[in-house]
Amino acid sequence: DSEKQLSNYVQIHTKKGTIVKVNVDIADEKSEIVRGLSFRKYLGSYDGMLFLFKESVDSAFWMKDMNFPLDILFVDAEYKIVDIKDNNAPCTEKYCPQITSSSRYKYVLEVNANFCDSNSIEVGDTMTLHLDSEN
């Protein structure tokens, strides 16, 4: 029934033993992946966007049409965080860098800037997906 609100979230398991829950919107269609969080005005403290790829990729991300800076977590097929690019500023008219992972990845989690720092999340931590949809 279409009234049912999907409650997708991920849990990040840190090396310090804490579990950080992030409510996520899912981007798994090409158009959703391209758009990402562009034009979004606000992102809650423990909200993010989870990008799902059908296989491991090494495509670049960018901050086009973004209104606020983000931390970007690259996660491999075994749900291990393989790279974190923190504090990525929105693109300007003249400058829009490609944001790439040092390793191939299958999932990307975008959260507010400084999220990883303030929650002690680092490369090597793992993530559990809790998705209601048919992903």
Side-chain angles (χ1 to χ4, degrees):
D1 106 12
S2 60
E3 294 297 304
K4 182 176 184 296
Q5 183 61 42
L6 294 179
S7 55
N8 295 312
Y9 66 96
V10 299
Q11 289 177 311
I12 299 166
H13 305 262
T14 70
K15 291 189 198 79
K16 292 194 162 90
T18 58
I19 296 176
V20 182
K21 179 183 172 185
V22 181
N23 299 304
V24 294
D25 289 337
I26 303 295
D28 56 359
E29 301 294 327
K30 186 153 181 59
S31 62
E32 296 168 339
I33 288 170
V34 169
R35 186 174 59 248
L37 289 167
S38 296
F39 306 109
R40 191 75 69 93
K41 295 277 183 267
Y42 171 80
L43 190 64
S45 302
Y46 284 86
D47 295 339
M49 180 164 274
L50 182 67
F51 296 79
L52 307 176
F53 296 90
K54 289 173 181 42
E55 55 196 12
S56 294
V57 297
D58 57 6
S59 331
F61 273 62
W62 62 347
M63 298 288 290
K64 185 174 173 355
D65 301 316
M66 284 298 304
N67 292 310
F68 44 86
L70 294 175
D71 284 0
I72 302 178
L73 294 76
F74 296 91
V75 182
D76 69 11
E78 282 76 53
Y79 307 104
K80 193 167 117 196
I81 298 172
V82 292
D83 203 352
I84 295 173
K85 301 295 186 200
D86 55 2
N87 242 328
N88 298 283
C91 295
T92 64
E93 246 175 74
K94 294 184 170 61
Y95 185 63
C96 197
Q98 302 278 301
I99 301 159
T100 56
S101 171
S102 58
S103 304
R104 293 176 72 78
Y105 58 87
K106 191 169 178 195
Y107 309 97
V108 169
L109 178 63
E110 290 185 345
V111 290
N112 283 306
N114 300 315
F115 184 85
C116 292
D117 206 28
S118 51
N119 288 285
S120 303
I121 295 167
E122 47 196 49
V123 171
D125 291 348
T126 57
M127 191 166 80
T128 316
L129 310 185
H130 300 273
L131 308 180
D132 285 352
S133 47
E134 295 79 48
N135 291 303

